[in-house]
Amino acid sequence: MTSPLGIYVSRAFPSYISLKNVSKIFKTKGGAVEALRDVNIDIGENEFVSIVGPSGCGKTTILKIIAGLIQPTTGEVYVRGEKVVNPIRNVGMVFQSPVLLRWRTVLKNIILPIEIKKLNEKYYLEKARYLIELTGLKGFEDKYPYELSGGMQQRVSICRALITDPDVLLMDEPFGALDALTRDQLNRELINIWQHQRKTVVFVTHSVNEAVYLSDKIYVMSPRPGTIIEEVKVDIPRPRNRGDPKFVTLAERILKLLGVEFDA
Amino acid sequence: MPEKSLLSKVKYQLTTHSLTIATFAVIFLVWEVVVQIFNINRVVLPAPSEIATVMLNLQKGYYVPWDKHISVTLFEILAGFSLAAVVGILLAMLIVYSLVLERILLPLIVFIEVLPKIAVAPLLLIWVGYGMEPKIGIAFLIAFFPIVVSTANGLRDVEQDLLDLMSVYGATKTQVFFKVRFPNAVPHIMSGLSIGMASAVIGAIVGEFVAANEGLGFLIVNAQYQLLTAMAFASLFYIAIIGLVLYGAVVAFGNLLKRF
């Protein structure tokens, strides 16, 4: 199906990823910590969804629950219509730190998932080169992570997440540790990539500006125990302009939802 | 600009090495001068020149078969060290991969570590005889602890995010070990091995002190009985040279690994 904007939108699964009444209680030495309470999230196929909220509100926990890395205490999670009980497959993950293997070159880091899945390395080397080109890493294929800037390391980490061509991309504050300029640039590049190879993206951030710039839909969370305060649709055509009055109004509305004590 | 960086590297190496050499040269020079000027009794403190004479067997009155003693001690060190490296790394893997084995093995390992090895030596002599075996045993006992501890730390010290990533790729335990944990532990293992090597030297000499009829440790004890102080110093210097060379070899091997 093609939307009026000319962007391909598939709605094969009305909810590609869904969390139903999910709660999570962590048992620690200091007692039980309620991380999430009654979280309901619905994400359509190829939708770009952000989760914003204050630090420690359980955003990362939601991502790990979607990935099947941890199980919710109550509630259910479905990805592609299947209930999640184990780590899900065909997913790309990007974390706040690039988590690259320091003894591997850029190319070797990107190809790691292929080695693990024992896929045809020759075919994927071609693909890796394409991604390297796409993310502006050309010429750095044989460099080691310590030879790259933080922004470039994060680009490598994004390439690694994309190499298997996953249909779901889970990103946990991927640009949180970068300077503002690099962050804006990578925001643009991410949207560019997403528009070229449509994927369902779940993007965790505590930057409202970033969330409004990137997303189709934003889930706003409360402090711990994390609950969804509101689901905000972003109906601003791309490419978005951060100075656009509609953009600013929406960002202010979300900031208000997050409360005055939120430092954005 | 590889030429330039190579040049600066060579220059740097030269500067640091010349400083080391200069430091030793000054120490030996002062030592020599002090002994000569104050006419110090050679049984108390022989001059470096006399020690060098003994090291090269140019002295009068007695002959030291250095090659035999050096090769005995060297063999004990290397055997003890190799054993410690293999056993140490394997034990570390067992500890990291099994909580039950950790609970069983770790107290035992710490128990062995806190035992004074010199006190264990007589037992080893009773058990395995007076040959090279007890010396290898002590070298092993001293060397394996740092290897176990640093290897275990290296295998454990992996970011949770990376392990999560490996789970979503569906990596097996073996893959996580060979692709992540082990390469991640290499720098830790190398530092464990270098400390282990230095310890193995001590272990072999300690073993020879207790009971031996060959080796550099035996020579020192022997020199003490005969008041051949220069011979004791000469043995000591040979031990130091062996220690430095072996330690340097481990470090160089580690640097070599870094490139891959």
Side-chain angles (χ1 to χ4, degrees), chain A:
Chain A
M1 203 173 21
T2 305
S3 76
L5 289 172
I7 296 167
Y8 174 77
V9 186
S10 159
R11 286 280 178 264
F13 297 100
S15 61
Y16 201 64
I17 298 173
S18 67
L19 280 75
K20 295 193 194 309
N21 308 317
V22 164
S23 302
K24 180 70 191 178
I25 295 165
F26 286 109
K27 292 193 175 64
T28 64
K29 275 178 193 160
V33 176
E34 192 180 10
L36 296 174
R37 181 186 292 173
D38 205 24
V39 168
N40 285 286
I41 286 178
D42 258 302
I43 300 168
E45 188 174 8
N46 295 338
E47 208 172 12
F48 198 123
V49 170
S50 287
I51 301 172
V52 296
S55 300
C57 73
K59 303 183 293 271
T60 300
T61 307
I62 290 181
L63 225 51
K64 287 195 172 183
I65 286 176
I66 293 173
L69 291 165
I70 54 178
Q71 295 299 314
T73 310
T74 59
E76 284 169 347
V77 185
Y78 294 89
V79 173
R80 304 174 199 114
E82 280 176 40
K83 193 175 171 191
V84 175
V85 281
N86 286 314
I88 60 170
R89 298 287 175 257
N90 206 13
V91 59
M93 286 190 93
V94 181
F95 305 89
Q96 181 167 3
S97 70
V99 288
L100 302 175
L101 303 180
R102 61 177 183 277
W103 54 90
R104 279 174 173 249
T105 60
V106 166
L107 190 62
K108 282 286 206 179
N109 261 295
I110 295 173
I111 219 78
L112 176 76
I114 303 309
E115 280 180 32
I116 289 168
K117 290 167 184 273
K118 298 201 168 89
L119 300 172
N120 181 349
E121 277 187 42
K122 216 165 210 171
Y123 167 76
Y124 282 97
L125 271 175
E126 283 299 303
K127 198 165 163 17
R129 295 200 186 280
Y130 164 73
L131 287 170
I132 282 170
E133 184 105 42
L134 190 70
T135 51
L137 286 169
K138 205 167 161 50
F140 292 89
E141 292 88 340
D142 299 322
K143 297 265 185 246
Y144 286 89
Y146 72 90
E147 298 174 286
L148 306 181
S149 67
M152 294 188 100
Q153 290 186 11
Q154 200 55 289
R155 285 189 175 101
V156 177
S157 156
I158 291 169
C159 288
R160 179 180 59 191
L162 293 174
I163 188 79
T164 55
D165 201 13
D167 46 9
V168 174
L169 201 53
L170 303 176
M171 307 183 90
D172 188 2
E173 297 190 36
F175 311 134
L178 305 177
D179 63 275
L181 283 176
T182 313
R183 187 177 192 150
D184 286 357
Q185 194 186 349
L186 284 175
N187 280 174
R188 277 197 301 277
E189 284 175 19
L190 179 61
I191 281 300
N192 186 28
I193 292 169
W194 174 72
Q195 283 176 331
H196 276 92
Q197 358 181 320
R198 299 307 292 259
K199 294 184 190 311
T200 309
V201 182
V202 188
F203 190 97
V204 161
T205 178
H206 52 229
S207 160
V208 169
N209 188 291
E210 188 172 57
V212 175
Y213 182 80
L214 295 170
S215 326
D216 295 318
K217 190 161 75 186
I218 300 170
Y219 285 98
V220 184
M221 289 185 71
S222 68
R224 201 163 63 204
T227 54
I228 304 290
I229 309 174
E230 196 161 317
E231 180 188 323
V232 181
K233 285 231 183 317
V234 186
D235 283 321
I236 305 171
R238 296 187 175 92
R240 291 173 184 161
N241 179 347
R242 290 173 207 259
D244 176 5
K246 256 177 109 178
F247 189 107
V248 176
T249 315
L250 193 62
E252 275 174 1
R253 199 183 123 209
I254 295 170
L255 280 173
K256 229 172 234 164
L257 285 169
L258 288 165
V260 276
E261 63 274 11
F262 181 63
D263 190 28

Side-chain angles (χ1 to χ4, degrees), chain B residues 84-230:
Chain B
V86 173
V87 173
I89 292 171
L90 286 177
L91 277 178
M93 283 163 57
L94 292 178
I95 287 170
V96 168
Y97 272 90
S98 157
L99 193 64
V100 177
L101 284 177
E102 178 181 354
R103 299 235 164 105
I104 295 171
L105 291 173
L106 208 55
L108 276 174
I109 292 170
V110 175
F111 177 77
I112 291 171
E113 171 58 16
V114 296
L115 287 178
K117 300 303 169 302
I118 192 145
V120 180
L123 278 176
L124 280 177
L125 292 173
I126 294 171
W127 291 335
V128 294
Y130 290 77
M132 283 197 260
E133 294 88 345
K135 289 88 180 177
I136 295 170
I138 293 166
F140 162 77
L141 283 180
I142 300 190
F144 95 107
F145 186 76
I147 298 173
V148 173
V149 172
S150 13
T151 307
N153 282 341
L155 293 175
R156 280 217 180 93
D157 181 27
V158 177
E159 285 171 279
Q160 185 56 43
D161 284 348
L162 196 51
L163 296 177
D164 282 350
L165 205 62
M166 297 301 274
S167 325
V168 298
Y169 294 148
T172 61
K173 271 196 164 186
T174 323
Q175 282 178 322
V176 174
F177 181 79
F178 283 108
K179 301 236 183 253
V180 177
R181 287 193 189 274
F182 192 76
N184 184 65
V186 166
H188 297 80
I189 296 175
M190 290 321 298
S191 77
L193 288 180
S194 54
I195 300 169
M197 184 58 100
S199 314
V201 175
I202 299 172
I205 301 299
V206 163
E208 289 176 355
F209 272 8
V210 176
N213 49 23
E214 51 187 355
L216 293 169
F218 156 78
L219 279 185
I220 292 178
V221 177
N222 205 32
Q224 180 213 335
Y225 290 149
Q226 301 180 43
L227 290 181
L228 291 171
T229 315

